[in-house]
Amino acid sequence: MYGTIRITKAPLSSKATAAKLTHAAQTFCYGTRPLSFAVRPSTAAFQHNAVSSKRPFSSTARAQLDVFPPPANAPNIKVTPPAWHHPVYTEKQMNDITIAHRAATSLSDKVALSMMRLLRMGMDFFTGYSHDHAVSRGTKNPATARRAGWYAPMDERKWLIRCVFLESVAGVPGMVAASLRHLHSIRRLERDNGWIETLLEEAYNERMHLLTFLTMAQPGRFMRAMLLGAQGVWYNALFLAYLVSPRTCHRFVGYLEEEAVITYTRFLAEIDAGNLPLFEHTLAPEIAVRYWNMPEGKRGIRDLILYIRADEAKHREVNHTLGNLEQREDPNPFVSVYKDAERRHPGKGIENLKAKGWEREDVI
């Protein structure tokens, strides 16, 4: 059962446990902005609760993220639901997600893979992320690896830093591709064949990942400045690259999503090994429960990461598939209706997921 834990008020089982959790909460920070740890049945774990009433070097009130604010100046509107409703995932489908890699065979694929690895190195450096592929693949025990010193420990704070940065970057490619294809369509006076909607939905989904993590921890000024600089470079680089070779960009994003699946698989392995105790009895934020329609009793942080990993696996499939198609002529196979309903076809869900993408001859 998930309970209500509030470090500054709730009784704990022992003085040692209380001291340990209190120390973790007080040192949980982004830049110079401290965070406190709290668990509530209907919201997130990490918030700007008042350890003290003021931030260091400031007397202004702490910023709060209002997850479901009332409509501003719209007294006749009760709620504004999301435009895209998330497909339903079963627990078996999410647990069946596996790590996979599409071999780089062409020059375009090799360029995309090299650029992805370069980006991955930069992200790992700035977020303090250390990675052990053997742990993610389940061939090494995370607890044993931690004791043996094979990689630097990733605590709850580091994981949230990693996820906030990762999702802020991941929300850009779909928007860039959708906006360029939209402009191409109205400039050439021709249809886009359904690509724009899927790309926009991908960007929206990644932004929902980010908003979910932001209800758990708010970045400080340094992280915000880093995100601002990264987005400025990242958006413009992708914009120019997509003009030159859309196929290479989709393959690049496919490889990037492969790494995201590995990262979240590692996250799950760390939780299962007991290395992230602050996440063990923490409920997913309310925004996540509503967006993914998380069932009662399956609303923990581990369940949340399963949903997010499944989304990343879907993006991996989508972008590898789009990278296999003729960019101007082929329709979007993920929204198309097929003549032979008995055969397996790509769709919005993950029931027919292909980790390395669908080949053109299979869908077109």
Side-chain angles (χ1 to χ4, degrees):
M1 292 293 293
Y2 293 105
T4 300
I5 303 174
R6 195 175 291 276
I7 286 176
T8 56
K9 296 181 180 180
L12 298 171
S13 58
S14 69
K15 293 182 179 180
T17 303
K20 194 173 182 180
L21 292 177
T22 303
H23 175 72
Q26 292 174 345
T27 58
F28 205 103
C29 65
Y30 283 72
T32 59
R33 298 175 66 180
L35 302 175
S36 69
F37 182 76
V39 181
R40 297 188 301 183
S42 61
T43 185
F46 298 89
Q47 304 178 39
H48 286 279
N49 292 332
V51 173
S52 63
S53 61
K54 298 180 181 179
R55 291 197 305 265
F57 313 110
S58 175
S59 61
T60 58
R62 295 169 185 255
Q64 296 282 344
L65 183 67
D66 199 349
V67 181
F68 297 104
N73 301 320
N76 294 327
I77 296 177
K78 180 179 180 181
V79 65
T80 303
W84 285 288
H85 296 282
H86 195 278
V88 176
Y89 297 160
T90 67
E91 186 174 3
K92 182 181 185 304
Q93 289 172 347
M94 293 189 292
N95 285 322
D96 287 344
I97 299 296
T98 58
I99 293 171
H101 174 64
R102 183 183 177 93
T105 55
S106 66
L107 177 61
S108 174
D109 290 355
K110 292 176 182 178
V111 170
L113 182 59
S114 299
M115 294 305 297
M116 184 281 298
R117 287 174 175 169
L118 181 63
L119 177 66
R120 174 68 192 251
M121 289 174 58
M123 289 180 61
D124 289 352
F125 175 77
F126 283 111
T127 61
Y129 180 79
S130 54
H131 184 71
D132 190 329
H133 287 273
V135 173
S136 299
R137 292 187 171 92
T139 58
K140 182 187 293 184
N141 187 329
T144 304
R146 180 184 291 261
R147 288 195 298 271
W150 289 103
Y151 60 90
M154 288 285 291
D155 57 15
E156 293 87 350
R157 171 182 171 273
K158 286 186 177 181
W159 273 113
L160 286 180
I161 292 174
R162 172 71 177 179
C163 292
V164 167
F165 196 89
L166 175 65
E167 299 301 344
S168 68
V169 168
V172 175
M175 183 60 67
V176 171
S179 62
L180 280 174
R181 293 191 69 91
H182 171 75
L183 294 175
H184 288 172
S185 177
I186 59 178
R187 184 173 68 251
R188 295 168 179 165
L189 305 179
E190 60 186 25
R191 291 190 59 194
D192 178 71
N193 290 323
W195 289 45
I196 294 174
E197 292 86 346
T198 293
L199 294 169
L200 284 175
E201 189 170 6
E202 177 182 311
Y204 176 83
N205 177 254
E206 297 287 12
R207 189 177 66 90
M208 290 302 295
H209 294 177
L210 176 62
L211 291 176
T212 297
F213 287 120
L214 286 177
T215 62
M216 300 171 70
Q218 283 281 296
R221 291 171 183 161
F222 176 75
M223 175 63 79
R224 290 176 183 272
M226 192 164 63
L227 292 176
L228 179 64
Q231 187 178 96
V233 174
W234 179 228
Y235 183 94
N236 288 287
L238 276 175
F239 183 90
L240 295 175
Y242 204 88
L243 288 174
V244 175
S245 178
R247 186 191 303 274
T248 303
C249 288
H250 285 299
R251 186 71 71 218
F252 167 82
V253 177
Y255 287 135
L256 191 64
E257 299 294 355
E258 289 180 2
E259 294 298 315
V261 172
I262 292 175
T263 296
Y264 286 115
T265 301
R266 159 88 184 279
F267 199 162
L268 291 169
E270 289 281 274
I271 293 175
D272 293 341
N275 292 331
L276 303 174
L278 299 183
F279 287 152
E280 289 183 3
H281 301 289
T282 305
L283 288 176
E286 183 65 19
I287 188 174
V289 173
R290 295 194 187 186
Y291 178 62
W292 281 284
N293 293 314
M294 300 173 71
E296 192 73 35
K298 294 291 183 180
R299 296 178 178 178
I301 295 299
R302 189 186 189 282
D303 303 302
L304 171 64
I305 300 305
L306 279 174
Y307 279 99
I308 294 177
R309 185 182 66 164
D311 285 343
E312 305 296 1
K314 185 63 183 180
H315 301 160
R316 175 184 64 185
E317 176 198 39
V318 168
N319 281 279
H320 276 320
T321 301
L322 297 181
N324 295 335
L325 305 182
E326 294 296 331
Q327 302 297 299
R328 290 189 60 174
E329 292 82 15
D330 289 343
N332 178 5
F334 294 95
V335 297
S336 298
V337 178
Y338 293 87
K339 295 180 180 179
D340 187 358
E342 300 299 323
R343 291 181 56 191
R344 294 177 68 246
H345 298 293
K348 292 189 66 173
I350 59 174
E351 57 274 3
N352 294 327
L353 191 71
K354 277 198 174 184
K356 300 179 182 180
W358 296 76
E359 299 299 329
R360 185 174 186 271
E361 55 269 21
D362 295 332
V363 293
I364 304 297

